[in-house]
Amino acid sequence: MTQPVAFVTGASTGIGYETAWKLAARGFTVYAGARRVEKMEPLKAHGVTVVALDVTSEESMTAAVEQVIAAHGRVDVLVNNAGYGSYGSLEEVELAEGRRQFDVNLFGLARMTQLVLPGMRAAGRGRIINVSSIGGQMYEPLGAWYHATKFAVEGLSDSLRIELKPHGIDVSIIEPSGTASEWGAISGDSLLATSGHGPYMDQAKVVAAALASTVGSSMSTPPDVIADAIVHAATSAKPKTRYPVGKGARAILLLRRLLPDRAFDVVIWNIYKRFPA
């Protein structure tokens, strides 16, 4: 059999970047896509092909997938990792920004999946790996839009898993906890810009500090740990349907299942208050 072909979105930094080179090291032909192509240049040394990809652009997504199909005839593994966190009070975040959050985190994921599925069905096999978050099963204050998208990714993936089973295609969900990357700092800065000076100021300072704590903190998980879970989902004979991964991921999700809503509200806020605003 020829080398399996993988496409990783959101591969300019963090989880996507680590996943791309790890899959290449495991013998995959890997295409890595992101808007910031220059950030992916070092991946070329690992044999990864980098492509410009904007998951809010139909033209960009179609061109990227067509490039892979033209070269190899198929995509065996799609890792939908592109995404960002839009934080701020629901009252203050513009609806246009809420729509953009869904465009990137959900609709881009769905469209990329649509584009690779015909080839997977024809081959009778394939893997769709969707990077969600523990935030797809729990919540934070001032994160309504972000969590709404991740809850949607979870529901989409569960439905997709059943409908694709007869075609030999597996669907796995990756659920990271706080990851050591630029994601937290960017999300925290966005939160303060939106809600750091109005009626939600006090909450915003606390949540932004918690988000920023994922940068260079012992509380955060290195992105290569999350990438290892993705590689397992891509290579295992029987991939799991869900991979909660990272420090505290399983504990937090267990508490969410066991505690009533208002008790979990208190737990979340008490955790966040530990971070100096």
Side-chain angles (χ1 to χ4, degrees):
M1 180 181 172
T2 58
Q3 285 183 304
V5 180
F7 195 113
V8 182
T9 74
S12 59
T13 59
I15 294 170
Y17 185 96
E18 295 291 328
T19 297
W21 78 257
K22 282 178 176 285
L23 285 172
R26 289 293 296 269
F28 282 78
T29 296
V30 180
Y31 284 74
R35 289 182 297 114
R36 296 182 294 177
V37 178
E38 71 284 356
K39 292 277 191 177
M40 298 186 290
E41 284 295 311
L43 287 173
K44 293 180 178 179
H46 298 281
V48 176
T49 301
V50 303
V51 297
L53 176 68
D54 180 349
V55 297
T56 66
S57 165
E58 172 67 22
E59 181 181 67
S60 176
M61 289 185 284
T62 301
V65 174
E66 285 181 348
Q67 179 180 341
V68 183
I69 299 298
H72 305 282
R74 70 198 190 281
V75 174
D76 299 300
V77 175
L78 172 65
V79 180
N80 282 309
N81 173 68
Y84 77 105
S86 182
Y87 281 75
S89 73
L90 186 69
E91 180 179 350
E92 294 169 306
V93 175
E94 297 287 342
L95 279 180
E97 171 56 22
R99 292 188 180 100
R100 181 173 182 270
Q101 179 80 140
F102 269 89
D103 279 343
V104 174
N105 290 8
L106 181 69
F107 291 112
L109 173 153
R111 183 56 180 145
M112 287 296 295
T113 302
Q114 286 180 331
L115 289 168
V116 304
L117 281 179
M120 289 184 177
R121 282 192 299 99
R125 65 179 185 276
R127 302 278 170 96
I128 305 294
I129 302 171
N130 292 332
V131 179
S132 177
S133 165
I134 59 171
Q137 296 196 47
M138 48 80 71
Y139 48 85
E140 305 158 284
L142 306 179
W145 285 112
Y146 171 71
H147 288 281
T149 65
K150 292 304 184 181
F151 270 70
V153 166
E154 299 267 335
L156 180 149
S157 301
D158 284 334
S159 292
L160 191 64
R161 183 177 64 252
I162 299 173
E163 71 189 48
L164 294 182
K165 183 177 175 59
H167 302 285
I169 303 168
D170 287 303
V171 178
S172 294
I173 306 168
I174 309 297
E175 298 171 328
S177 58
T179 305
S181 72
E182 63 183 7
W183 188 96
I186 293 172
S187 298
D189 289 345
S190 174
L191 166 58
L192 291 175
T194 302
S195 297
H197 304 284
Y200 302 91
M201 176 177 63
D202 293 340
Q203 276 189 322
K205 289 179 179 178
V206 171
V207 176
L211 290 169
S213 72
T214 61
V215 180
S217 166
S218 61
M219 295 292 291
S220 60
T221 301
D224 66 291
V225 174
I226 315 302
D228 286 339
I230 296 173
V231 171
H232 185 276
T235 58
S236 173
K238 295 187 68 174
K240 300 175 184 179
T241 60
R242 277 179 169 77
Y243 290 81
V245 60
K247 295 177 181 178
R250 292 183 181 276
I252 291 172
L253 294 182
L254 178 61
L255 284 175
R256 180 66 189 107
R257 288 194 293 272
L258 295 177
L259 294 179
D261 290 345
R262 295 193 187 281
F264 191 74
D265 292 352
V266 173
V267 169
I268 289 297
W269 189 242
N270 283 336
I271 290 174
Y272 273 52
K273 286 195 299 184
R274 292 165 34 206
F275 298 95

